[in-house]
Amino acid sequence: MAPLVYRLVRLLFKLSANAFYAIEVEGLENIPPDGCPTILCPNHSNSLTDPVCLLSSIPSKKRDLVRMTAKDTFWRGNDLFSLLIRGVGTVPIKRSKDYNYAKVDNSESFERLIESLEQGNCICMFPEGISRYNSQVAPFKPGVALIASETLTRNKDREDFSINLLTVSIVYTHREKFRSNVLVKFNSPIVLTPKHQSLLKIETENGKRISSEQAIRELTSAMEELVRSNTLDAPNWQTLRIAHTARKLYSGHLGTRISLAEYVRLTKDFINALDKVKVKIESNSESDNSENDSSDDSNDIENGEEKDIIVERIDSGNLLQVYNDEKEKEKEKVVNIDINLLARDLNVYQDLLDSIGIKDYRFSYPKPLSKLNLTGRIFFRIIGTMILGTLAFPGWILWAPVFIAGKYKEYQIRKLPLEDNFDEITQYKIIIALIFLIPIYLFFLFMTFPFIMVTSWLMPLIMWLTIRWTEDFFQAFRSCLSLTKLLSLPEEEYNKIKSVREDIKRRVQILAVNELGLPDNPENLITKSRPRGMGYFSIKRRRKKDYNEVLRLWDVSSYD
């Protein structure tokens, strides 16, 4: 049975993770029960937030105890997260990069992990070996496979012995944003037994036991492929961006009516299709040179050589002109889609939407909304915003120290190098919340001492509902801004943009059906109704048209 400290820390992680994010879990049936030696192998894109989300997603009935691993530098500090990590019995792992890339000795830690597996426990290791803010999963290191090899070798005479390598794909829609979505998907386990002779170590002439390099490499590659196939793994942020645009054009009004898991799978399909080309952004000043280069690229592509496509960032007027020129060339193509040209058009179309501040679905109507209709909608959005703002204002006062301190810390981190620090934004926001909330709660009780029997439960309720009202406030305010911009958009320009959209959508539809095997009617992707839970009072409920929306004044469509 897990120690009491472990249970308390795990509960704290669960509360923190589900307050900061809306977490959706898939594949719980793939988690082996207690008593089955298991190695959890997740991707690692969000520093200490990854184990927090992971532990909060595994039911204690499935695994009472998960032995985590973490870099040993956490044992040098006394900050809150370091204390919590040590409190759950985490095993320290030395990383070469923390010791000036000198050779490190992890034999003692590996021995603890192997003994834990032999006792039927579950351990967690991050095969990437490093947390990184990147669009792509890093190549897996062989540590997990080596531990599995050693454990199998030591238990090769036990016929009933097996190890489950349970890969986990963790997907953040926006990893550092409050109230964004997270998918934790437990993939089908890779079950290893002593019958896998190639994984057993062999004894050399000098008495040492070594593993087969090929077997270790193949096992590591299989784990990596499982994780990559179920994440938004893209070669660069630009490919991910236009894949999101393609998904929106294909799926239409599905929005959050499909599950987050289906949303990820659908976007991943378009990433795979667009991964055939590389999208490179050039400034307008370089466009003249790129025109000459692009003709050479086309010849190379026809000859079977892959080249970068040059995608210019251009304003809406140029987009419409460039698009009309290319439309004539594409008119005759009904089945075979020029993926290079489609990638270019998806990119400039999304640039256009970002520049005018209007969402794609606003151009999906058969005809533009009338000025009277738009004015009426704006009026009701303003009334709704005022009501929601009034309801949320007392809670904003209580939350203010947390949000101010969190934004200040984020500002400091964003001034540091991108690769090494952006993945730490969320963990510091959660730490700040944990540090501030208790003093805020005690101060509120002190100020309302005569009514403490009421305020002791009323304050948490107010702060909880404030999150709900604030999400609805931003959604209404964001919608009001979008409708106002739509109202000011000339009807002629609206029709031109809609014409561009319809043709790009037609090509995306052909790509989706003919190349990706997706249904002609996206509504068929809705396999089950979404659970409502506690309805309006559920912390997971959001009025969102798309998973891309987060608690902020604008939608996120651009990536780093």
Side-chain angles (χ1 to χ4, degrees):
M1 181 176 291
L4 179 60
V5 174
Y6 176 89
R7 292 176 179 274
L8 292 175
V9 173
R10 187 171 180 169
L11 176 61
L12 180 61
F13 282 174
K14 187 171 185 176
L15 293 174
S16 302
N18 284 282
F20 194 92
Y21 293 120
I23 301 176
E24 185 171 309
V25 184
E26 186 179 73
L28 287 176
E29 68 278 3
N30 291 325
I31 302 177
D34 277 325
C36 297
T38 303
I39 307 178
L40 285 177
C41 310
N43 57 306
H44 201 13
S45 63
N46 208 8
S47 194
L48 293 180
T49 312
D50 290 332
V52 170
C53 290
L54 191 62
L55 284 179
S56 67
S57 302
I58 301 175
S60 56
K61 293 180 180 179
K62 280 279 189 179
R63 301 301 307 207
D64 188 47
L65 174 66
V66 178
R67 182 75 66 189
M68 305 299 296
T69 57
K71 57 184 180 181
D72 72 328
T73 53
F74 287 119
W75 275 254
R76 305 173 193 171
N78 290 311
D79 57 90
L80 181 59
F81 252 114
S82 295
L83 295 174
L84 291 175
I85 287 172
R86 298 200 292 268
V88 295
T90 305
V91 177
I93 301 293
K94 294 178 181 178
R95 303 187 307 175
S96 177
K97 66 172 292 186
D98 297 324
Y99 293 87
N100 296 319
Y101 294 96
K103 187 176 182 180
V104 295
D105 181 15
N106 281 306
S107 57
E108 184 178 342
S109 296
F110 283 4
E111 181 63 26
R112 288 179 60 188
L113 295 173
I114 292 170
E115 288 178 357
S116 187
L117 285 172
E118 290 176 329
Q119 294 167 8
N121 293 328
C122 177
I123 67 173
C124 177
M125 298 186 70
F126 294 92
E128 288 177 272
I130 186 174
S131 174
R132 59 203 298 268
Y133 190 95
N134 201 286
S135 63
Q136 196 168 33
V137 173
F140 278 17
K141 298 183 183 300
V144 171
L146 289 170
I147 285 181
S149 174
E150 174 66 22
T151 309
L152 286 175
T153 303
R154 286 169 48 162
N155 295 271
K156 63 182 179 180
D157 296 327
R158 295 171 58 183
E159 294 183 359
D160 60 341
F161 186 80
S162 64
I163 300 175
N164 292 271
L165 298 188
L166 183 62
T167 60
V168 188
S169 300
I170 306 177
V171 182
Y172 299 87
T173 53
H174 301 291
R175 72 196 80 192
E176 79 280 16
K177 299 301 180 184
F178 183 53
R179 300 306 297 149
S180 56
N181 293 83
V182 180
L183 172 67
V184 180
K185 176 176 171 55
F186 297 94
N187 304 309
S188 298
I190 301 174
V191 182
L192 304 175
T193 70
K195 293 181 180 180
H196 292 88
Q197 295 290 325
S198 61
L199 285 172
L200 298 181
K201 288 188 171 184
I202 58 175
E203 190 169 329
T204 62
E205 294 180 357
N206 58 8
K208 290 185 177 181
R209 293 189 307 179
I210 61 173
S211 303
S212 164
E213 291 186 7
Q214 181 179 350
I216 295 299
R217 186 166 54 249
E218 289 177 354
L219 179 56
T220 301
S221 178
M223 293 162 49
E224 182 180 328
E225 178 56 32
L226 265 176
V227 171
R228 285 183 185 274
S229 63
N230 292 289
T231 62
L232 296 180
D233 183 69
N236 49 59
W237 293 114
Q238 188 63 18
T239 300
L240 178 59
R241 180 175 184 257
I242 61 176
H244 276 301
T245 306
R247 172 190 48 75
K248 286 185 289 187
L249 288 168
Y250 166 74
S251 61
H253 297 286
L254 288 183
T256 55
R257 289 188 294 141
I258 59 174
S259 67
L260 180 59
E262 189 60 53
Y263 168 93
V264 169
R265 279 191 288 268
L266 188 56
T267 307
K268 179 63 175 176
D269 284 339
F270 285 105
I271 289 174
N272 291 339
L274 294 165
D275 191 24
K276 297 175 182 177
V277 294
K278 297 180 181 179
V279 182
K280 183 171 67 177
I281 302 303
E282 297 286 349
S283 64
N284 287 331
S285 62
E286 299 174 345
S287 58
D288 293 339
N289 295 332
S290 66
E291 289 177 1
N292 296 329
D293 294 339
S294 61
S295 61
D296 295 335
D297 289 348
S298 299
N299 294 332
D300 290 332
I301 291 172
E302 290 175 0
N303 293 330
E305 297 180 17
E306 184 182 61
K307 292 288 184 179
D308 291 354
I309 340 174
I310 306 302
V311 181
E312 300 175 19
R313 287 200 181 277
I314 50 183
D315 60 33
S316 58
N318 287 338
L319 167 65
L320 297 175
Q321 182 58 49
V322 171
Y323 173 77
N324 288 331
D325 293 342
E326 298 290 351
K327 185 177 179 181
E328 296 301 320
K329 300 177 184 179
E330 281 288 294
K331 188 180 297 184
E332 301 302 323
K333 295 183 179 181
V334 180
V335 178
N336 298 321
I337 298 299
D338 186 332
I339 194 70
N340 292 17
L341 188 58
L342 178 59
R344 194 283 306 270
D345 288 349
L346 286 168
N347 185 71
V348 292
Y349 176 64
Q350 187 60 57
D351 280 348
L352 172 60
L353 295 180
D354 291 346
S355 67
I356 62 178
I358 301 176
K359 299 178 187 179
D360 167 72
Y361 78 90
R362 300 285 187 190
F363 296 98
S364 63
Y365 302 125
K367 59 181 180 179
L369 298 173
S370 66
K371 302 293 183 183
L372 181 61
N373 191 323
L374 286 171
T375 303
R377 293 188 180 204
I378 293 171
F379 174 77
F380 284 111
R381 296 295 192 286
I382 292 174
I383 297 299
T385 302
M386 294 173 62
I387 293 174
L388 289 166
T390 302
L391 290 172
F393 184 76
W396 289 346
I397 296 175
L398 295 172
W399 278 107
V402 176
F403 286 133
I404 292 172
K407 292 302 293 183
Y408 178 70
K409 184 63 179 178
E410 180 177 357
Y411 169 76
Q412 288 183 315
I413 292 176
R414 286 187 179 275
K415 292 193 298 183
L416 299 171
L418 172 70
E419 181 72 22
D420 295 331
N421 298 282
F422 269 28
D423 61 335
E424 296 182 353
I425 291 176
T426 306
Q427 75 180 46
Y428 280 108
K429 286 184 176 180
I430 293 177
I431 289 174
I432 288 169
L434 293 175
I435 292 174
F436 274 76
L437 285 178
I438 294 178
I440 291 173
Y441 181 67
L442 295 176
F443 177 76
F444 184 80
L445 293 182
F446 175 77
M447 296 299 294
T448 58
F449 185 75
F451 312 99
I452 193 171
M453 294 299 294
V454 175
T455 56
S456 60
W457 60 265
L458 182 62
M459 179 195 170
L461 179 63
I462 291 175
M463 297 186 76
W464 173 26
L465 289 177
T466 297
I467 294 176
R468 168 65 51 250
W469 293 328
T470 303
E471 288 180 323
D472 289 349
F473 171 87
F474 278 114
Q475 194 278 338
F477 191 84
R478 185 167 51 230
S479 179
C480 185
L481 288 178
S482 180
L483 289 170
T484 302
K485 292 173 181 177
L486 195 61
L487 181 64
S488 63
L489 188 70
E491 184 174 346
E492 181 181 358
E493 186 173 354
Y494 177 94
N495 290 330
K496 287 181 178 179
I497 296 173
K498 179 175 174 59
S499 176
V500 171
R501 179 189 185 277
E502 288 303 310
D503 193 77
I504 299 177
K505 175 179 171 62
R506 175 186 64 82
R507 288 183 284 156
V508 168
Q509 182 77 8
I510 293 173
L511 175 69
V513 176
N514 292 357
E515 299 294 331
L516 304 181
L518 295 171
D520 186 64
N521 183 5
E523 293 287 333
N524 294 335
L525 295 174
I526 303 176
T527 56
K528 57 183 179 181
S529 60
R530 306 306 311 283
R532 296 290 297 179
M534 295 172 62
Y536 185 83
F537 295 98
S538 171
I539 198 67
K540 292 188 177 183
R541 176 200 173 272
R542 266 87 49 75
R543 292 174 57 194
K544 297 175 60 172
K545 291 184 178 296
D546 190 273
Y547 287 108
N548 186 56
E549 297 179 8
V550 291
L551 186 61
R552 55 193 291 172
L553 288 177
W554 62 93
D555 297 331
V556 178
S557 60
S558 297
Y559 291 84
D560 294 302

